[in-house]
Amino acid sequence: MFHILSLLKQLKNSVNVTLGVFHDEVMAAKARSLGINVKVFKQHSQFDLTVAKEIKEYIQDHNIDILHSHGARANFISLFVKPRKNFKWYLTVHSNPLDDFINQGIKGKVFTKLNIRAIKSADQVIAISERFKNDLIQLGVNGQKIDTILNGIDFNIKPKTRYNREMLDLKEDDFVIIMIARLEPVKDHETAFRGLKEALSKEGNIKLLLVGDGSRYEELQNVAEEMGLSENVLFLGQRNDVTELLTIGDITILTSLSESFPLVLLESARAKKPVITTDVGGVKSLIPNEDYGYIINVGDADQLAERILNYYEMKENGKIEERGELLYQHASENFSEEAFAQSVLNIYKKYTR
């Protein structure tokens, strides 16, 4: 959602844009508040393909030049918006298609195949990291129609207020880690828990705040309890105040199995919070060396614990803020919202009639 709204907020100053959604909910409301035109193509169910005809008619009636789909369902429905003689179909890949439906059985396998078919059928594909471009080529997507564009965010956004740790029953001397991630298998919260537990064996005042909701909410609460982490892991659910929440953290972590170019890391950079992330997507562009943050192997809880303790020591020595400042300077100079949108616009102009 944030990727798309960030893009449209910038593009609407240069071209006419409309956000098409299947449900008139949070995303549509946020778009309208930004002055973005919204069209609801209401589905009666997740498998309702009749909206494809409605989308096609809308494109024809409004002389649309570009259809740009985001997400597996939108990608698949776009397959049926034919013929495409008068407009170009662009598709952005935000994650490895093989990881989008982990642990969802036969349904997940079917959706994965449909999504890959859609990606192969699009006129042009935008990958949010060079690694994803290579993944797509391995899946049989024509490399000549794939462009790589890394995410960007608005670095002018500032927290409305600085939160007090007492709001969450945290102490001033706690070492506070924030993880912003959907509670889904691809985010691999178990590695975060194992790394936290190992770090706690050396230092006892470490807290992990989990920001996000998802299908594993209760399951992960049980996992944390079974691992004896209930006092150290706080489930905050879905929040609309992430910018403010980051003011009470010392560092952020991301233990995902797969990502593109995670916006949450850019949000951490904007907040001048050092990061630890698994080696996924395009994170090495944001973290070129250890002066800017730590990159660990996917699933490596030992590495995670080691890096948490490294930052813990930096905080004790009064040096952790220097790391956050370095990350901020690098990110704000290279991954702005404006640069991101201009890159997309350049690709539109390159391939569209």
Side-chain angles (χ1 to χ4, degrees):
M1 176 175 71
F2 293 106
H3 172 103
I4 296 169
L5 293 180
S6 175
L7 174 61
L8 294 181
K9 185 173 73 171
Q10 293 295 321
L11 289 183
K12 72 182 179 66
N13 297 321
S14 304
V15 295
N16 292 324
V17 296
T18 296
L19 172 65
V21 294
F22 299 130
H23 303 284
D24 196 353
E25 297 176 347
V26 176
M27 186 172 183
K30 287 182 177 293
R32 292 188 185 104
S33 71
L34 294 171
I36 298 167
N37 184 46
V38 176
K39 170 63 178 177
V40 180
F41 301 100
K42 188 171 179 59
Q43 282 187 298
H44 300 292
S45 72
Q46 191 176 12
F47 306 99
D48 178 15
L49 297 178
T50 60
V51 292
K53 180 180 179 183
E54 186 181 355
I55 294 171
K56 177 182 175 181
E57 291 174 350
Y58 186 88
I59 289 172
Q60 292 173 340
D61 293 343
H62 293 80
N63 297 315
I64 303 295
D65 296 303
I66 293 170
L67 172 66
H68 193 157
S69 63
H70 298 259
R73 180 163 33 149
N75 296 344
F76 178 59
I77 289 173
S78 296
L79 265 176
F80 293 86
V81 185
K82 295 182 179 180
R84 298 198 302 274
K85 295 178 181 178
N86 298 319
F87 66 94
K88 284 277 189 178
W89 174 21
Y90 290 76
L91 182 153
T92 293
V93 176
H94 295 271
S95 56
N96 187 324
L98 297 179
D99 296 328
D100 285 342
F101 300 100
I102 292 177
N103 297 337
Q104 294 192 31
I106 295 175
K107 182 181 75 172
K109 292 179 180 178
V110 171
F111 284 175
T112 296
K113 289 183 178 180
L114 293 174
N115 191 26
I116 292 173
R117 178 184 169 192
I119 295 169
K120 290 180 178 180
S121 300
D123 296 314
Q124 293 296 144
V125 177
I126 296 174
I128 306 299
S129 74
E130 195 65 23
R131 182 174 299 181
F132 278 177
K133 178 177 180 178
N134 294 330
D135 289 341
L136 294 175
I137 292 172
Q138 291 296 316
L139 290 172
V141 181
N142 183 352
Q144 292 185 339
K145 71 175 187 179
I146 306 174
D147 290 279
T148 301
I149 299 179
L150 300 180
N151 273 328
I153 65 170
D154 185 354
F155 279 88
N156 295 315
I157 292 177
K158 305 296 180 185
K160 297 174 183 176
T161 183
R162 293 191 65 84
Y163 279 0
N164 190 315
R165 288 189 169 191
E166 292 180 358
M167 296 169 58
L168 297 174
D169 294 325
L170 298 171
K171 299 177 182 177
E172 284 304 315
D173 64 345
D174 283 339
F175 187 77
V176 178
I177 304 168
I178 298 180
M179 180 171 173
I180 306 166
R182 292 177 292 113
L183 305 185
E184 300 294 346
V186 71
K187 302 301 182 179
D188 190 19
H189 287 78
E190 281 83 352
T191 291
F193 290 172
R194 292 196 301 271
L196 172 63
K197 185 163 186 172
E198 186 175 337
L200 282 168
S201 68
K202 306 286 177 56
E203 301 291 349
N205 61 326
I206 304 175
K207 304 291 186 180
L208 173 61
L209 311 186
L210 299 183
V211 180
D213 202 349
S215 63
R216 303 191 68 207
Y217 196 103
E218 292 185 7
E219 179 187 357
L220 288 172
Q221 283 185 316
N222 292 334
V223 171
E225 184 175 357
E226 291 168 2
M227 295 181 68
L229 296 173
S230 295
E231 296 297 317
N232 299 88
V233 179
L234 284 70
F235 289 79
L236 303 185
Q238 187 65 38
R239 305 283 296 227
N240 295 318
D241 58 349
V242 169
T243 302
E244 288 72 34
L245 266 178
L246 284 169
T247 64
I248 65 174
D250 292 301
I251 66 170
T252 66
I253 65 171
L254 192 66
T255 56
S256 298
L257 302 174
S258 175
E259 290 280 355
S260 53
F261 187 67
L263 286 171
V264 293
L265 297 185
L266 288 178
E267 290 178 312
S268 299
R270 182 174 62 196
K272 301 183 179 180
K273 301 298 178 180
V275 302
I276 306 172
T277 176
T278 44
D279 188 5
V280 290
V283 297
K284 288 182 178 177
S285 297
L286 178 64
I287 306 173
N289 60 57
E290 291 187 355
D291 289 338
Y292 298 93
Y294 291 126
I295 299 176
I296 64 173
N297 295 323
V298 171
D300 196 329
D302 293 336
Q303 262 192 314
L304 176 59
E306 179 184 354
R307 295 315 191 186
I308 289 173
L309 293 172
N310 287 156
Y311 278 137
Y312 188 100
E313 184 178 354
M314 287 183 202
K315 182 181 180 182
E316 293 284 291
N317 296 331
K319 296 182 178 180
I320 196 169
E321 291 183 357
E322 296 176 9
R323 294 301 182 95
E325 184 66 36
L326 273 174
L327 180 61
Y328 169 81
Q329 292 296 336
H330 175 63
S332 60
E333 290 171 6
N334 293 280
F335 304 107
S336 70
E337 189 178 64
E338 294 83 1
F340 159 62
Q342 186 59 51
S343 296
V344 174
L345 187 59
N346 289 343
I347 288 178
Y348 286 166
K349 291 177 178 178
K350 181 178 179 181
Y351 298 110
T352 306
R353 58 177 174 79

